Amino acid sequence: MGRIYNFGAGPSMMPLPVLEQAQRELLDYKGSGMSMLEISHRNALFEEVNDQAQAHIKQLLGMDDSWVVMFMGGGASLQFSMIPMNFLTPGKVAAYAITSTFSEKAIKEAHKVGKAVEIYSSKATGLDRVPRPEELKLPENCAYLHLTGNCTAEGLEYFDYPDTGDVPLIVDMSSDILSRPIPLDKFSLIYNGAQKNIGPAGVTVVMAKKEFLKGRDPQLPTMMNYETFADHDSTYNTPPVFGVYLVDLMSQWLLDQGGLGAMEKRNRAKAKLVYDVLDAHPGFYRGHAQKDSRSLMNVTFNLPSKELETRFVAEAKEQGLAGLKGHRSIGGIRASIYNAMPLEGAQALTDFMENFWKNNR
């Protein structure tokens, strides 16, 4: 079988040039006689990769030396716990906007550490939109505001982040990181599981302002303290070496594509193709997200019946369009069209959707 179009939400599709370079270098990385799978994280070859990956991510986002890029394990789910453990100090209140299954998981972990409050929720309407900045009212003694920047399960995305003043803004960008430029000055910490948009499963990328990380409680467990990773260049213990290498290849590929401005144009074009089909047949394809909250990365929708949804997924797979089954918590259909998905893949999906509509309306 040749390559297919993988619309899975993560682990997700990666660019063919990245996979081919990893394949070429798999057995012998730069004449070392070793695979990157075998190279020590103390080896100068990996130190170079580690430094390059950080530098390329900073370059893509426009970060200066006031920011640090860290590579961890545990996925975004571990960050749900690390964030309150590090920043929800006694007497403070953490604020959360609930727009996703993952927002709910994040605040659940915060409740175990200290006081956390929902300052916004779209749960009453099925988690179908993100708030406008003016809808977010911060509590007194606010430790931080946590947002889920792109809601992978529900297909929502923030396009207008609030100005929070002295209150740190922390955002889970697991599925839209490096997909478009962002207003960097608004954030104190950004985190993401790499497997959705910029690398393989097993790597978590955390970007934070250095000043924000200083002064953590020394009684924190060592591996739950952000300063451990910042002070040791992510190599206090063995990091996911091969995963970081792939993140570096992916970030190099993004730079070769023209950077985040070019990727945004491509991602908007892909999303428009799919959303145009939803809008053309609203009685058949029912989009989950309200239009002003529609994600560029994850298009979610339902068909008139579960039987049709099952048939849609099966027939699409037969045509080389895989990974379209919706998240287990909400069902339906989900097409993840991350950075690596070419425009041709989105066009193939929309052609299939048009034919499926004609045959089943």
Side-chain angles (χ1 to χ4, degrees):
M1 178 181 288
R3 295 282 295 171
I4 64 172
Y5 291 119
N6 175 14
F7 293 91
S12 61
M13 186 175 186
M14 294 187 71
L16 188 58
V18 168
L19 295 175
E20 288 175 336
Q21 182 172 348
Q23 181 184 50
R24 289 193 301 271
E25 297 177 336
L26 183 62
L27 297 182
D28 183 3
Y29 181 72
K30 289 192 173 182
S32 66
M34 295 183 291
S35 169
M36 183 56 74
L37 288 163
E38 303 168 297
I39 289 174
S40 167
H41 61 296
R42 308 296 182 194
N43 187 298
L45 287 172
F46 175 70
E47 290 177 356
E48 180 184 41
V49 167
N50 191 28
D51 292 343
Q52 283 181 175
Q54 295 174 39
H56 288 147
I57 289 171
K58 285 185 174 183
Q59 182 180 348
L60 285 162
L61 288 167
M63 290 176 169
D64 59 22
D65 287 340
S66 67
W67 284 81
V68 61
V69 176
M70 299 168 284
F71 301 116
M72 306 180 186
S77 295
L78 182 59
Q79 299 301 308
F80 298 162
S81 300
M82 283 187 69
I83 287 163
M85 289 179 69
N86 279 262
F87 306 116
L88 184 47
T89 52
K92 292 284 190 175
V93 180
Y96 284 73
I98 306 303
T99 56
S100 169
T101 300
F102 297 103
S103 302
E104 294 180 309
K105 290 182 176 181
I107 196 172
K108 181 179 179 181
E109 297 304 306
H111 284 314
K112 298 175 182 179
V113 176
K115 185 176 181 181
V117 297
E118 295 182 11
I119 62 167
Y120 171 86
S121 175
S122 58
K123 193 169 183 178
T125 55
L127 297 172
D128 62 348
R129 62 179 288 256
V130 299
R132 296 180 295 276
E134 63 269 19
E135 294 179 274
L136 298 171
K137 307 298 182 183
L138 300 178
E140 291 185 9
N141 299 317
C142 189
Y144 58 83
L145 170 61
H146 179 283
L147 304 178
T148 306
N150 187 94
C151 307
T152 314
E154 293 78 13
L156 313 180
E157 188 169 356
Y158 281 83
F159 296 100
D160 191 8
Y161 282 101
D163 293 308
T164 56
D166 294 333
V167 175
L169 177 58
I170 296 175
V171 181
D172 175 358
M173 292 190 184
S174 285
S175 36
D176 64 335
I177 190 66
L178 302 188
S179 66
R180 58 187 173 89
I182 58 173
L184 198 61
D185 59 316
K186 293 188 176 184
F187 307 105
S188 291
L189 186 147
I190 300 164
Y191 66 96
N192 66 277
Q195 75 276 9
K196 295 182 180 296
N197 208 30
I198 62 167
V203 186
T204 308
V205 186
V206 179
M207 295 150 274
K209 290 182 177 177
K210 293 177 182 178
E211 285 297 319
F212 182 54
L213 300 185
K214 289 183 178 179
R216 298 304 94 218
D217 184 350
Q219 296 304 310
L220 282 170
T222 300
M223 295 304 293
M224 299 295 283
N225 188 329
Y226 285 111
E227 286 190 299
T228 300
F229 295 88
D231 293 346
H232 293 86
D233 204 24
S234 300
T235 57
Y236 177 84
N237 71 327
T238 307
V241 171
F242 192 72
V244 174
Y245 159 73
L246 287 173
V247 169
D248 182 41
L249 295 188
M250 184 72 182
S251 61
Q252 291 182 51
W253 178 81
L254 288 170
L255 288 168
D256 291 342
Q257 304 310 299
L260 301 192
M263 290 310 302
E264 179 176 22
K265 291 179 182 178
R266 183 184 302 182
N267 289 329
R268 287 190 180 278
K270 291 184 298 186
K272 185 178 187 302
L273 284 173
V274 186
Y275 285 121
D276 280 352
V277 178
L278 298 190
D279 293 338
H281 310 299
F284 189 78
Y285 293 118
R286 302 190 304 274
H288 178 80
Q290 293 190 27
K291 289 187 177 182
D292 61 354
S293 296
R294 283 175 166 177
S295 170
L296 301 181
M297 298 285 99
N298 309 98
V299 182
T300 56
F301 56 95
N302 289 88
L303 278 70
S305 69
K306 290 185 178 180
E307 290 75 18
L308 273 176
E309 291 172 353
T310 300
R311 190 186 309 166
F312 181 99
V313 172
E315 291 184 10
K317 187 175 182 180
E318 290 175 358
Q319 297 192 29
L321 309 173
L324 287 162
K325 185 177 180 180
H327 188 272
R328 62 187 180 278
S329 66
I330 62 173
I333 308 297
R334 172 177 55 185
S336 294
I337 45 178
Y338 298 131
N339 283 334
M341 178 62 65
L343 187 66
E344 293 79 8
Q347 185 64 64
L349 174 61
T350 56
D351 291 344
F352 171 78
M353 291 172 68
E354 286 286 359
N355 289 329
F356 192 84
W357 169 75
K358 290 175 183 177
N359 295 331
N360 294 280
R361 56 182 168 173

